[in-house]
Amino acid sequence: MAEECKDHSGVKGVDPKAMPHFSDRDPNGIAGQWQVNATVTANDKDYRISDRVALCRFKRAETRTADAAPEPVSEGKNLTVKGKLSRAGWKDLKYHGFGGQKVTLQFRKAGAAS
């Protein structure tokens, strides 16, 4: 297969301000699944159009924190875990709380491999 015909993959960032039809309403609407269409033009000006050659997902960045108390943890005692999940808002380019999400805690014995 010729070098220029090999499959290529990578990561693509999107600037929501560069998509005015979304930015004017809700730039967060960019997040989700998109289809990739392709047009290939040969040197002789022949061309091929392919719809839905791939699917991709745009995800908003997130941050999360967690803190457990009291420390050290004692067997048989109550443990309180507090944290925050935030997701990037593309409208104002700031992080905002993302409540109402399911949280699962996992216990790992001290010294155990993760």
Side-chain angles (χ1 to χ4, degrees):
M1 181 178 284
E3 178 64 31
E4 61 271 14
C5 294
K6 288 184 179 178
D7 290 335
H8 295 279
S9 63
V11 176
K12 174 66 176 153
V14 173
D15 180 355
K17 290 184 236 166
M19 302 176 97
H21 58 286
F22 279 99
S23 298
D24 293 345
R25 296 184 311 228
D26 179 14
N28 294 321
I30 294 170
Q33 184 168 284
W34 284 64
Q35 75 178 27
V36 178
N37 301 327
T39 301
V40 178
T41 305
N43 290 337
D44 65 0
K45 304 299 182 212
D46 192 13
Y47 65 94
R48 167 98 177 154
I49 298 173
S50 296
D51 291 335
R52 201 175 172 116
V53 295
L55 296 174
C56 66
R57 292 192 58 78
F58 287 112
K59 297 180 182 182
R60 292 191 278 166
E62 67 175 40
T63 62
R64 54 192 168 275
T65 62
D67 187 35
E71 290 186 45
V73 176
S74 300
E75 187 174 343
K77 300 291 181 180
N78 287 338
L79 177 68
T80 301
V81 179
K82 294 181 180 180
K84 182 178 181 180
L85 173 63
S86 298
R87 205 162 62 164
W90 287 338
K91 191 166 194 163
D92 60 3
L93 304 179
K94 295 180 182 177
Y95 283 89
H96 300 278
F98 188 46
Q101 303 304 304
K102 181 181 176 183
V103 175
T104 303
L105 299 177
Q106 297 178 343
F107 174 77
R108 183 177 69 208
K109 217 174 207 181
S114 57

